[in-house]
Amino acid sequence: MRTVFHENLDELNGQLAKMCGRAGVAMKSATHALLAADLSAAEQVITAHDQMVGMRSDAEQAAFALLALQQPVAGDLRAVFSAIQIIADTERMDALAVHVAKIARLRYPEHTVYGEVSDCFAEMGRLAVGLGESAQQVLLTGDPAEAAHLREQDTSMDDLYRRLFSLLMSPSWDHGIAAAVDTALLGRFYERFADHAVEIGRRVVFIATGALPPEDDISTY
């Protein structure tokens, strides 16, 4: 029975890693749609979210089956409960990419962002994709030290988020109120995407060590 349990748990972890990878790809496509005013790319991100919802449902059923049929204890129980949390994080990451794509679609055929703001979002997109890939990798390896490095990438995202607001508050801002609202919302979507990736790292540390690090201290593990 324990062999079957661990095989099923490994399969569930594989599902989570795949979901995380898809979220990263979605944010990459959404960023392209945003920067290039690409309606087709935006629509593809939005439509593909239904697949992520289906994957979430399948993963949740697999996790609940492990709880109901295998009665895990100790470390195994931590792994299953953490998986349930991670399922929600990965689906939310994908949903945040959808939000970016929807703003790009709303403003089409016009570009949503310009100049230095556009450069900032290009870098935020790059970081978001990297965080998605890193989170996918730590789900596959279960390495708490590797998981801790997610916080470092998130710090760079936070720096860019603050930079966005400095641009919005600058007296030289001349793109109007609608663009300012779009910029503030988009920045929040990217920042929250990064936060969810870091939360996945925290859960991996918890599975491996039995201790859930404080949100601001994950990089010490």
Side-chain angles (χ1 to χ4, degrees):
M1 288 293 291
R2 305 311 299 167
T3 299
V4 172
F5 172 84
H6 285 106
E7 288 176 351
N8 291 339
L9 184 59
D10 288 343
E11 183 177 343
L12 176 58
N13 284 336
Q15 289 178 267
L16 299 181
K18 185 176 181 181
M19 291 172 67
C20 199
R22 285 181 65 93
V25 170
M27 186 56 90
K28 182 177 181 178
S29 297
T31 302
H32 167 75
L34 177 70
L35 300 178
D38 187 332
L39 180 61
S40 176
E43 293 285 8
Q44 187 173 21
V45 172
I46 295 164
T47 302
H49 185 62
D50 287 342
Q51 297 175 22
M52 178 64 83
V53 173
M55 293 174 72
R56 174 177 182 166
S57 178
D58 291 343
E60 285 177 337
Q61 289 182 30
F64 294 147
L66 286 173
L67 287 175
L69 302 177
Q70 302 291 346
Q71 298 180 336
V73 296
D76 291 340
L77 187 61
R78 287 201 310 270
V80 177
F81 273 112
S82 294
I84 294 171
Q85 295 287 334
I86 292 168
I87 290 166
D89 284 313
T90 54
E91 191 272 334
R92 187 57 189 159
M93 289 164 70
D94 194 78
L96 288 163
V98 171
H99 291 333
V100 173
K102 284 184 175 179
I103 289 183
R105 183 177 68 177
L106 178 66
R107 300 305 176 194
Y108 179 82
E110 301 296 326
H111 280 76
T112 308
V113 293
Y114 306 87
E116 192 173 355
V117 172
S118 180
D119 294 340
C120 193
F121 279 117
E123 181 62 14
M124 293 178 88
R126 186 190 67 80
L127 285 173
V129 172
L131 278 159
E133 292 173 347
S134 296
Q136 180 182 27
Q137 185 63 25
V138 301
L139 285 170
L140 292 172
T141 65
D143 184 347
E146 189 177 358
H149 290 308
L150 288 165
R151 169 59 69 187
E152 297 170 10
Q153 293 171 269
D154 181 52
T155 298
S156 297
M157 183 71 81
D158 290 340
D159 290 342
L160 285 167
Y161 189 46
R162 286 190 288 269
R163 178 183 166 195
L164 270 182
F165 273 87
S166 70
L167 293 172
L168 286 174
M169 300 300 293
S170 172
S172 64
W173 178 267
D174 60 359
H175 301 301
I177 294 175
V181 171
D182 286 344
T183 298
L185 285 173
L186 287 163
R188 182 59 172 166
F189 297 153
Y190 282 94
E191 188 264 345
R192 287 301 297 149
F193 184 98
D195 287 346
H196 283 288
V198 171
E199 184 61 24
I200 290 171
R202 292 178 71 236
R203 293 291 167 182
V204 170
V205 172
F206 176 60
I207 293 168
T209 68
L212 184 64
E215 292 184 9
D216 293 335
D217 294 341
I218 187 172
S219 60
T220 65
Y221 281 75

